[in-house]
Amino acid sequence: MLAAALLAWMASAFVWLAQASPVGLGLVIGAIGFGAMLTMAWGPRAGPIAFAPILATIFALTLPPPIASSAAPLAWTAIGCFAYLAWSMATVPPLQRLYRTRALFAALDATTTLMRSRAALLEASPDRREDLLPPWIGDESRLAERLQAARDLLFSAPDSPRARSETAALVEAIDVRDLLLASRLDLDLLGDDEPARAVRGRVAGALRGFADALMRITLPPPRTAPGEPRDGARARTDAAPRVAGTLLDGIFDASDPRALLLPAFVARLERLASGVRRIGEALHGGGEALPLSREQLRMFAATESWPLSALRASLSLQSPVFRHALRMGLALMTAYFIALQLPWSAHPHWLVLGVAVVLRGTLEQTITRRNDRVSGTVIGCLLVMLIAQLHSPTLMIAAFLAGVGVAHAFVTVRYRVTAIAATVMALLQAHLVDPQAALAIFERLADTVLGAALAWAFSYVLPSWERRTLPRQIERALAALRAYAAHALRSDPHAGVAQRLARRSAYDALGTIAAALQRSRFEPRGVRPPFLELASMLDAAQRLMAHLSVIRMSLALRAESPQRAESIAAVHGADRLLQQALDRSAHPAEPIEPPSPGALPEAAPQEDPAAWLLRRLRIAVADALAVRNAADAALAALGERSARKPWTAQLQRK
């Protein structure tokens, strides 16, 4: 807030100094836009800081000449900035509880959406699965973003019963994400006959039931009826369905070897149901013990430092941040000069504002903002016309104040609502200042359409297509998977924090690729990254992470098994093969025999757990090979010069 206040005042001062020269003022506006967007080098958390000087510039442009020439607006700007800083420091601490709760519920809502996406993929026929991949990838990316936002607020919260309760629920939700990945394991081995489709259908139905239960759990607990024990009220909030042991009975004949897999499917669904129930118990029970200390949990929150090294790293034309800063500066300067030449010149800042709010860092975000801005402005103008017909000054003032609040409240939630409210606010504000002047509805519409068109056009100036950063993101994902595999297969019982950190890093790396793939759907067809190759890599990587989680849990459950030494030796061998398969910088030290994932042990898992563990290790290696092959194929399609023919594909052909 302090940085935003200082930058806002400095922007106002530069506009005040340059106001005598239209050309100089246009250059200053461009420089302010460039400098403001450079702060995005510190990531999305710098967004409000980046927009503060641009908004202050637009406010400074609204002042009529007699007032703008005096130094009084600079003093009022300083007073307003620091008054708002004091107001935020006074109001944000009491709101932290609400922010934490809403962040947690947003993460749980994204979890339910992902459950439904996974259920839809399980039930889809092979010819429809490709159409369902983009929504699934988008849901994966959204969940990763919301989980991290919840971590940042909850894991750094002061200790209290409510904070412990919500933190325990979030930790359970993170583990449920792992269990959701594991729920789809081995289902692709069943084939595509009628019994196999029946199994996938029932598993998908269970996932939808868990999603519905999770939505009910996030509702406030019901009031205790007179005479009803408090435990009875809590029991009614425990809405997670119990998985019946007979869920998959009667689908396969006893002689069908696929029947051996059914108990494993049921067991995973039971663990998932148990995780959903524990979320409900944590939310409505309170005071739960956390698996990690507060100091350990803070390690999972995003850093709050602002190192200058991040800014220095972005001072290059290869940096997407630097390119967007140049793009924004040129666009704002062009918008101002065009506004001076238009037949209407009472509100030149409207055109500058239209470009500033529509032009985003990616084409996908710009197109979405463009559409929301234009449609919202049309709706807002219609609302103002309706309000004007009522001839009520009191109603106008009330609508103006409501527009101020709604416009700011929805800016990061649903921008179309913000555009509607901002249009009402701007038109009524101008009318309240000068009631004799006509409502500038046509001017507002024209400036909005022209500003949106300018922002869209400037999206193609120094573009930062997603394919430019994907090779680096793929290498980062492979490195994160190697680190997670090393931690997941480690038998050290005290490596919980390191293992969870490695798991989060792997999820984050895969989520970055998923988000880039989602955004690239709006880019020109000729520069889009290879969708199928990257989607295959994400799918295989998630299967690998699910296998690693199952192996880790199996090793923990069999700590006292007489076959422990044999299992550990097999795990070490699999770890070595996984590290080789996921490392593109080196060829394998020895040939890797392609595993046979479909071969099932003769005995059931509870009768011969060692054989099933060995099978799981072989499948994990197979998925690591699939990740490597998909990564090589994606890098080759991206045009990376160093992309070689996948050596794993050669081994599999042999």
Side-chain angles (χ1 to χ4, degrees), residues 174-179 181-182 185 271 483-504 507 544-559 564 568 571 613 616-617 620:
I174 294 170
D175 290 340
V176 160
R177 186 189 193 184
D178 249 9
L179 296 170
L181 282 182
L185 292 180
R271 285 196 290 269
Y484 179 57
H487 284 91
L489 299 182
R490 186 178 300 170
S491 57
D492 183 5
H494 303 292
V497 176
Q499 182 268 323
R500 285 175 176 269
L501 284 170
R503 181 180 66 177
R504 190 202 59 170
Y507 273 132
L544 173 60
M545 293 187 67
H547 286 305
L548 293 173
S549 296
V550 172
I551 292 169
R552 175 174 51 82
M553 289 185 287
S554 299
L555 291 174
L557 292 173
R558 301 178 61 244
R564 172 79 173 174
I568 292 300
V571 167
L613 175 62
R616 182 72 57 200
L617 291 169

Side-chain angles (χ1 to χ4, degrees), residues 1-2 82-96:
M1 287 301 304
L2 180 61
F82 287 98
Y84 194 76
L85 174 63
W87 172 255
S88 66
M89 294 178 65
T91 56
V92 166
L95 291 172
Q96 284 298 303

Side-chain angles (χ1 to χ4, degrees), residues 261-492:
L261 292 169
L262 299 184
F265 297 153
V266 174
R268 291 172 200 150
L269 292 176
E270 287 176 344
R271 285 196 290 269
L272 191 52
S274 177
V276 173
R277 282 195 298 274
R278 286 195 298 270
I279 292 175
E281 292 167 358
L283 281 176
H284 303 305
E288 273 68 20
L290 298 174
L292 302 175
S293 67
R294 280 285 165 189
E295 291 72 20
Q296 293 171 328
L297 288 172
R298 289 189 183 96
M299 298 169 64
F300 295 86
T303 177
E304 295 184 359
S305 61
W306 303 81
L308 288 177
S309 58
L311 183 61
R312 287 195 297 267
S314 297
L315 297 178
S316 165
L317 198 57
Q318 302 302 315
S319 167
V321 172
F322 190 82
R323 296 167 77 90
H324 179 58
L326 279 176
R327 191 184 310 130
M328 180 64 81
L330 292 172
L332 295 183
M333 182 173 60
T334 303
Y336 178 73
F337 287 139
I338 290 177
L340 295 181
Q341 307 305 317
L342 292 175
W344 57 89
S345 57
H347 305 91
H349 57 280
W350 278 358
L351 185 58
V352 178
L353 176 63
V355 173
V357 298
V358 171
L359 185 57
R360 303 287 91 189
T362 65
L363 182 60
E364 179 256 349
Q365 294 170 336
T366 299
I367 291 177
T368 302
R369 277 290 182 93
R370 178 200 66 187
N371 298 341
D372 289 344
R373 180 76 178 178
V374 173
S375 61
T377 300
V378 171
I379 297 172
C381 288
L382 293 175
L383 287 176
V384 171
M385 292 173 64
L386 178 62
I387 294 171
Q389 295 300 316
L390 300 177
H391 303 290
S392 172
T394 303
L395 178 61
M396 284 190 175
I397 294 174
F400 165 70
L401 294 176
V404 173
V406 173
H408 291 83
F410 281 85
V411 67
T412 60
V413 181
R414 186 168 297 176
Y415 188 74
R416 182 170 299 174
V417 177
T418 288
I420 295 171
T423 300
V424 173
M425 174 187 71
L427 291 175
L428 292 183
Q429 182 181 30
H431 181 73
L432 291 171
V433 170
D434 186 6
Q436 304 304 319
L439 290 168
I441 291 178
F442 173 78
E443 181 183 344
R444 181 73 178 189
L445 282 172
D447 283 338
T448 297
V449 173
L450 182 56
L454 274 174
W456 182 33
F458 270 93
S459 294
Y460 296 89
V461 176
L462 296 173
S464 300
W465 306 128
E466 299 296 339
R467 65 184 302 121
R468 294 171 57 90
T469 59
L470 275 170
R472 185 170 64 252
Q473 293 171 4
I474 291 172
E475 295 290 356
R476 176 194 166 207
L478 292 175
L481 287 172
R482 290 198 305 271
Y484 179 57
H487 284 91
L489 299 182
R490 186 178 300 170
S491 57
D492 183 5

